[in-house]
Amino acid sequence: MAAKRFGGAGKSGGGDSNILAKISNSEIVSQGRRVAGDAVGVSKKLLRSTGKAAWIAGTTFLILVVPLIIEMDREAQLNEIDLQQASLLGAPAQRGF
Amino acid sequence: MADLFPPLATAQVDAKTKVDEKVDYSNLPCPVPYDEVHREAYMSLKAENFEGFRFDFSKGLNQKFSLSHSVMMGPTEVPSQSPDTTIKIPVAHYEFGANYFDPKLMLVGRVMTDGRLNARLKADLSDKLILKANAQLTGEPHMSHSVFNFDYMGKDYRAQLQLGNNALVGATYIQSVTPRLSLGGEVFWAGVPRKSGLGYAARYETDQMVASAQVASTGNVVMNYVQKISEKVSLATDFVYNYFSRDVVASVGYDYILRQSRIRGKVDSNGVTSALLEERLSMGLNFLLSAEIDHKKKDYKFGFGLTVG
């Protein structure tokens, strides 16, 4: 772009805008612009659908898996305490019923 | 995490001894009642999710007699005209109940603040004949209904006759065909909408799994499978298909029964995921948490409750 400007400075003012207009109206530039627009649109849609999928996966994981992990942890802790008590007292641990 | 792995070695030993025994066709076990053919699957897949706050208190006055008080506050859904929007109206009510439990007689009654009365009776008329009755009375005219069931338990079969008001007559029969397979059928005739229907059910169970299927002339086909992975864990899956209205729903769920809690979770093909957690805080005190998310309709329901006694 800088080279074009220097080159354009050497020519007359009318010819300068003519060349720039010809370049910007040419086939390649307009195709490039269309592809760039499409790419932006596709990436926006991709971002939105990834966001939606992440939300669905995240909330489903939160509802189905997190309470399960918490409860299984507590069960493991309880088992550990029972094991410790059994090894300490030499007898099966008493259930607090 | 060790509960997730099944005890493979013992299962193989049990299977070998069972195959060696010859099947004694004159000594088959009694099958489960026809209404409970899908019992194990519905324990994990049809958990009672609720929305709002729930408090249940039951007190035993006697060895056989007990009273219960229950308070429920929360939004309830009202059927709306358009299927997209759901209308929820906050509702609160109190329910008083009395129960009488005897080895031969069971009476349960419940009264709600909006005037509804629900009564259940189960009496052992003889060793093999059981009478069950269920009545719901409301203040609105023509909305009360009652149903009487006579169950006969034979050596390897069960038969049931059902009579309801509004001229409802039904009969079911289920028979054990092998020690593991039982087949049954039902027939009913409803007087008010002048409909009659037929249905068949089959149930195959082993120590580790239960598979059952049911077809009805209303167009419903239900198939489910439950696998017991260990003493504490079982997984269930369910497939419902209606061949008139072409509705299909498949769901997968789990049921973890731990020492101090019980968790049931389920995912649906309608985009609904729900979970119910019951935790024992101390003797007789249970804490309930329920969650249900409907991703398609964007409907979120959460509830918590306490059960005492």
Side-chain angles (χ1 to χ4, degrees), chain B residues 137-212:
Chain B
L137 309 174
T138 57
E140 299 159 36
H142 303 299
M143 289 289 281
S144 331
H145 57 268
S146 64
V147 170
F148 291 87
N149 292 329
F150 295 93
D151 294 347
Y152 182 77
M153 187 168 73
K155 189 150 174 287
D156 56 3
Y157 65 91
R158 282 192 205 245
Q160 182 192 65
L161 176 67
Q162 189 177 59
L163 303 166
N165 75 336
N166 293 340
L168 170 72
V169 180
T172 75
Y173 177 78
I174 183 165
Q175 161 101 42
S176 275
V177 173
T178 76
R180 295 186 178 169
L181 177 65
S182 44
L183 304 172
E186 74 167 338
V187 99
F188 73 89
W189 186 76
V192 169
R194 291 246 167 223
K195 272 197 326 196
S196 65
L198 261 185
Y200 304 101
R203 182 183 154 106
Y204 182 79
E205 62 182 307
T206 67
D207 284 339
Q208 303 283 324
M209 59 82 121
V210 174
S212 62

Side-chain angles (χ1 to χ4, degrees), chain B residues 266-287:
Chain B
K266 151 189 129 161
V267 183
D268 222 49
S269 72
N270 280 339
V272 173
T273 141
S274 66
L276 180 69
L277 162 69
E278 298 163 26
E279 181 158 335
R280 197 179 65 122
L281 294 180
S282 79
M283 182 67 208
L285 186 65
N286 284 341
F287 181 60

